[in-house]
Amino acid sequence: TFAATERKRLKLALAASMLVVVAALVLTFSRGAFFGFIVGDGLFIITRRARRGLLLGAVMVRGLLFLLPGTMWDRVMAGFGGDLNALSAGRTGEIWLPLLPELWRSPLIGNGLSSILWSDAMRAERILQVGHAHSAYLQTLLDMGLIGLTLLLAFFGFLLRDFWRASRDKSLSPTLRGFFEGAAIGLVSFLIAGFAGSALTPCAEQSFLWLAAGMLYGMRRKRAKT
């Protein structure tokens, strides 16, 4: 939205909000959040196809890498050089592998929402005492099975298509087109980061995604009436 809008006051407000988001991102100390941030920024630069944007992005990345404190580097590089369990911060050996047998209890429709809480692995204390599987895709398979995962991915596929079409709709203002382009890129980033966290069903950290979806469908409904 910042790159697309021509409104100076809005640009200033968006620049301030981006600084707040980056600060909050750093405070989470989450490698998944860092990865999602990198994916989103990379996709933004690539889709713009502007040499100036690529150059500016490269300069900003170099500057950010130079300014990162040692503790941040330690967090980002944690687990590298070790096995997969170390790289995934214990998810592989202490959550994912012990939960795999649960998938075969009801592979098509799953075991119910939040089924990890009453799984055999949880009751036998073979996994960490967690409330979710730390993988959006594994969590969906456990709760809703293959049918649920397929339907959710189909929904997100259609949503991504519609976001991208809206971002190229010349009948919309540049501000709205930029907003929907950001929503498309954010959705891709969310789906990639979901391999190691979050959920495919609505939760608090997806608020902006559902706000964008609501704007898209609301706009489509208004057009249909006119």
Side-chain angles (χ1 to χ4, degrees):
T1 310
F2 173 85
T5 188
E6 300 171 353
R7 298 161 56 187
K8 293 183 179 180
R9 290 185 179 180
L10 180 58
K11 274 186 178 290
L12 183 62
L14 290 171
S17 70
M18 286 189 285
L19 290 175
V20 173
V21 168
V22 171
L25 178 78
V26 172
L27 292 176
T28 66
F29 229 51
S30 165
R31 286 191 298 175
F34 298 157
F35 182 68
F37 177 75
I38 293 170
V39 170
D41 288 350
L43 287 173
F44 169 77
I45 294 172
I46 291 171
T47 55
R48 305 293 296 181
R49 296 179 181 177
R51 292 181 179 179
R52 186 173 62 179
L54 289 171
L55 178 61
L56 179 61
V59 171
M60 291 180 64
V61 169
R62 287 178 65 88
L64 181 62
L65 293 177
F66 178 76
L67 294 173
L68 281 178
T71 51
M72 293 295 296
W73 279 110
D74 290 341
R75 175 58 177 162
V76 171
M77 301 303 295
F80 282 89
D83 58 13
L84 184 59
N85 189 53
L87 185 61
S88 64
R91 287 176 172 85
T92 304
E94 298 181 66
I95 301 177
W96 295 342
L97 290 179
L99 283 173
L100 290 183
E102 303 292 330
L103 298 177
W104 304 112
R105 295 176 60 180
S106 183
L108 292 181
I109 62 173
N111 303 305
L113 298 181
S114 300
S115 60
I116 187 176
L117 299 178
W118 60 83
S119 64
D120 290 340
M122 178 66 75
R123 288 184 295 172
E125 299 184 354
R126 293 195 301 269
I127 63 173
L128 296 175
Q129 299 297 300
V130 292
H132 60 93
H134 282 73
S135 169
Y137 300 93
L138 178 57
Q139 181 80 32
T140 303
L141 282 172
L142 287 169
D143 293 354
M144 303 180 182
L146 286 170
I147 294 176
L149 178 62
T150 301
L151 291 174
L152 281 173
L153 290 180
F155 166 75
F156 283 122
F158 285 121
L159 184 60
L160 177 61
R161 180 201 64 185
D162 292 342
F163 277 153
W164 192 251
R165 285 180 177 176
S167 74
R168 297 296 183 262
D169 188 345
K170 298 299 183 182
S171 67
L172 299 178
S173 68
T175 301
L176 267 180
R177 292 202 304 269
F179 175 81
F180 287 124
E181 182 182 356
I185 291 174
L187 178 54
V188 173
S189 179
F190 159 71
L191 291 173
I192 293 174
F195 281 100
S198 192
L200 297 183
T201 50
C203 53
E205 61 264 29
Q206 304 166 6
S207 300
F208 294 107
L209 171 63
W210 296 111
L211 172 65
M215 289 178 62
L216 176 72
Y217 294 134
M219 182 183 68
R220 179 181 295 175
R221 181 67 177 271
K222 183 177 181 181
R223 282 184 171 185
K225 288 182 176 180
T226 56

